[in-house]
């Protein structure tokens, strides 16, 4: 997949600014790195039996198994990255000014990118980078060579990650974990949270009764609560009160209802609210054999 002629770059950041730099490697080091990267790519894309993993459309409330990866179709890679692969010869090498990992322009390493542009398309592997990947010199660095330890003067050393965190090809971004891929490219636009308008619509739904609107406004400020509400709105689980009541019985969940049984009472504590939203997001379900109640963060549909 990756070739010795592919580009190796550092995607650096300074605040919200991004910039690409060349990661200069001698031929032997680059060849070893590319070979390792191909091994990482194979284990990233294929299971232990050599079968290509299943690519699921990215869903914020689903955890992949070892045989699955996420996919975001028509993913927009940053302009700075496209320009860097379009004109790699114009890139300056990344040179850290000290062991902090920051260069003279004030940029620090965000990720390592490897790939190429061919036929107006890009193939790019991304490895997120953290400060702990910088090996800091403390005292004497003794390195063993031929059974003998020698002092090595190292000004700045990078430990390359032993996996890839995302792969961009055919216009799609493939990844296993959101947090890992988000360390390379900003995925926040794809991470669904309810907007202020959607929160207002949820609160004003005919099946919801809110005793204290001010308290409710405070409770919906959290990211997790807004994600749950977004999921509920996407699933349309508030559309049928009779189905809500039936579902609560099946999930062994006691709905907080008004005296007439026609509205769901907004809980006055966040813990109870999270349980209610988890139920409305269809994350509480009975076991088909034991009838025990379970909690799941996935609503991936099963295709028969």
């Amino acid at each position: 997949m990756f070739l010795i002629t592919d580009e190796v770059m550092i995607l650096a950041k300074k605040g919200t600014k991004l910039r690409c730099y060349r990661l200069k490697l001698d031929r032997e080091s680059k060849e070893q790195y590319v070979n390792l990267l191909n091994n990482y790519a194979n284990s990233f894309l294929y299971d232990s039996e050599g079968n290509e993993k299943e690519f699921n459309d990215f869903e914020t409330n689903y955890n992949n198994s070892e045989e699955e990866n996420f996919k975001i179709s028509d993913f927009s890679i940053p302009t700075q990255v496209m320009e860097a692969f379009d004109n790699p010869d114009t890139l300056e090498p990344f040179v850290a000014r000290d062991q902090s990992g920051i260069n003279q322009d004030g940029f620090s390493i965000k990720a390592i990118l490897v790939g190429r542009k061919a036929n107006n398309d890009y193939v790019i592997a991304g490895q997120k980078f953290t400060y702990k990947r910088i090996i800091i010199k403390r005292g004497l660095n003794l390195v063993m060579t031929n059974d003998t330890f020698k002092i090595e003067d190292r000004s700045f050393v990078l430990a390359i990650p032993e996996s890839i965190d995302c792969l961009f090809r055919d216009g799609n971004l493939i990844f296993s974990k959101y947090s890992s891929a988000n360390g390379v490219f900003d995925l926040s636009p794809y991470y669904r949270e309810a907007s202020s308008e959607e929160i207002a619509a949820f609160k004003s739904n005919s099946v919801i009764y809110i005793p204290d609107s001010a308290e409710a406004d405070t409770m919906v400020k959290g990211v997790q609560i807004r994600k749950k509400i977004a999921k509920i709105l996407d699933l349309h689980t508030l559309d049928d009160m009779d189905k809500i009541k039936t579902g609560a019985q099946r999930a062994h969940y006691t709905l907080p209802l008004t005296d007439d049984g026609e509205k769901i009472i907004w809980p006055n504590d966040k813990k109870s609210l999270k349980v209610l939203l988890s139920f409305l997001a269809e994350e509480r379900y009975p076991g088909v054999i034991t009838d025990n109640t379970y909690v799941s963060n996935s609503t991936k549909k099963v295709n028969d």
Side-chain angles (χ1 to χ4, degrees), residues 60-61 178 191-195 198-199 220-235 277 281 283:
T60 58
N61 295 286
Y178 171 88
Y191 203 78
R192 173 110 164 85
E193 287 182 31
S195 65
E198 288 175 319
I199 294 291
V220 299
K221 290 181 179 179
V223 173
Q224 296 301 322
I225 297 294
R226 298 177 78 93
K227 287 186 210 168
K228 284 286 190 290
I229 290 176
K231 187 176 181 182
I232 293 165
L233 293 174
D234 290 344
L235 291 171
L277 296 181
E283 295 173 357

Side-chain angles (χ1 to χ4, degrees), residues 156-176:
F156 186 78
V157 180
L158 300 180
I160 300 298
E162 296 180 336
S163 64
I164 63 175
D165 295 303
C166 61
L167 176 66
F168 181 82
R169 67 176 187 181
D170 302 323
N172 302 319
L173 187 72
I174 302 168
F175 57 99
S176 177

Side-chain angles (χ1 to χ4, degrees), residues 5 13 50 55 65 106 109 183 204 299:
T5 54
K13 63 179 180 178
F55 300 146
S65 68
I109 302 173
S204 62
T299 49

Side-chain angles (χ1 to χ4, degrees), residues 1 7 29 57 63 100 118 134 164 172-174 183 194 201 218 224 229 248 258 261 267 275 286:
M1 174 175 287
E7 307 297 336
S29 299
D57 290 333
N63 292 326
S100 68
I134 300 174
I164 63 175
N172 302 319
L173 187 72
I174 302 168
T218 300
Q224 296 301 322
I229 290 176
T258 55
V275 174

Side-chain angles (χ1 to χ4, degrees), residues 7 44 51 77 94 97 106 113 126 131 144 147 164 173-174 198-199 210 218 223 226 245 271 292 298:
E7 307 297 336
F44 181 75
N51 299 313
I77 59 177
F94 185 90
R97 66 189 181 198
L113 306 177
Y131 183 77
M144 188 171 70
D147 299 329
I164 63 175
L173 187 72
I174 302 168
E198 288 175 319
I199 294 291
I210 301 178
T218 300
V223 173
R226 298 177 78 93
K245 293 178 182 178
K271 182 177 180 180
N292 292 331
S298 170

Side-chain angles (χ1 to χ4, degrees), residues 177-194:
K177 295 182 179 180
Y178 171 88
S179 58
S180 298
N182 191 55
V184 180
F185 298 123
D186 179 17
L187 303 189
S188 58
Y190 303 91
Y191 203 78
R192 173 110 164 85
E193 287 182 31

